[in-house]
């Protein structure tokens, strides 16, 4: 599993590099043909990781419920982050992979509620959820890369 955690951390490092230097305004631009913006994608990754790993294993999510409700699957950007709020999202984005690895190694994930994803892949354990989340994050990194070219 160490490799899966390393992939998650590396993907998040690449995402941070991709958005460095962008203004708060640029992070919120929704280009023509897109349904969301860079800020939404980053917050969505934080939320999805928490839901797939913690909620589906019947553990408490480590992010505020308001963030979950605003950025879970099926949502669209409706709010604009302040710089302080987005900095908090970035802090979660960068720190939660370490917490996940620590919790995994401590045996926190003892059960998992089966979840069929929209791609047709069924998550049936924390291990499959971690691997699938890496796939999900890579897709969104690609979206962020496309958005960055247009903002």
């Amino acid at each position: 599993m160490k490799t899966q955690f390393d992939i998650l951390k590396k993907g998040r490092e690449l995402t941070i590099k991709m958005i460095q230097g962008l203004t708060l305004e640029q992070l919120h631009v929704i280009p023509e043909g897109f349904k969301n913006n860079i800020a939404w994608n980053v917050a969505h990754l934080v939320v999805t990781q928490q839901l797939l790993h913690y909620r589906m294993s019947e553990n408490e999510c480590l992010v505020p419920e308001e963030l979950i409700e605003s950025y879970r699957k099926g949502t669209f950007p409706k709010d604009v982050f302040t710089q302080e709020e987005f900095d908090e999202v970035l802090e979660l984005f960068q720190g939660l992979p370490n917490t996940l690895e620590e919790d995994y190694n401590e045996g926190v994930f003892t059960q998992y509620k089966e979840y069929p994803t929209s791609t047709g892949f069924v998550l049936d354990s924390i291990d499959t959820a971690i691997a699938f989340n890496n796939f999900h994050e890579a897709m969104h990194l690609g979206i962020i890369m496309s958005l960055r070219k247009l903002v």
Side-chain angles (χ1 to χ4, degrees):
M1 282 304 291
K2 178 79 173 122
T3 300
Q4 292 295 336
F5 295 119
D6 290 346
I7 291 169
L8 175 59
K9 292 172 191 175
K10 180 53 79 177
R12 291 204 174 183
E13 286 173 21
L14 292 171
T15 301
I16 293 296
K17 283 183 185 174
M18 192 58 48
I19 67 173
Q20 279 179 337
L22 295 178
T23 66
L24 194 58
E25 183 180 336
Q26 288 174 307
L27 293 169
H28 288 93
V29 170
I30 303 174
E32 188 175 328
F34 287 81
K35 296 186 283 186
N36 51 50
N37 55 42
I38 293 171
W40 181 91
N41 275 273
V42 172
H44 172 71
L45 291 177
V46 169
V47 165
T48 300
Q49 182 267 319
Q50 287 292 293
L51 293 174
L52 291 179
H53 299 151
Y54 287 84
R55 182 148 304 155
M56 298 308 294
S57 63
E58 299 187 18
N59 287 295
E60 291 286 323
C61 289
L62 307 176
V63 300
E65 193 62 35
E66 305 83 52
L67 193 69
I68 292 171
E69 290 308 313
S70 296
Y71 296 96
R72 69 184 316 142
K73 178 181 166 184
T75 64
F76 299 96
K78 55 184 177 185
D79 299 319
V80 173
F81 287 112
T82 65
Q83 188 63 57
E84 183 180 327
E85 290 168 336
F86 193 67
D87 288 347
E88 289 174 14
V89 169
L90 289 176
E91 192 174 312
L92 292 167
F93 186 75
Q94 293 174 293
L96 287 173
N98 293 324
T99 305
L100 173 67
E101 185 174 17
E102 291 166 9
D103 286 347
Y104 181 89
N105 290 333
E106 289 176 15
V108 167
F109 304 102
T110 58
Q111 52 193 344
Y112 198 86
K113 183 178 171 187
E114 191 172 281
Y115 176 70
T117 68
S118 57
T119 64
F121 191 79
V122 177
L123 306 181
D124 60 4
S125 70
I126 188 62
D127 290 358
T128 59
I130 289 169
F132 179 83
N133 185 67
N134 285 343
F135 165 74
H136 176 258
E137 295 217 3
M139 289 191 320
H140 281 275
L141 174 57
I143 293 167
I144 290 169
M145 292 169 76
S146 295
L147 287 166
R148 189 182 198 300
K149 291 179 181 180
L150 301 172
V151 300

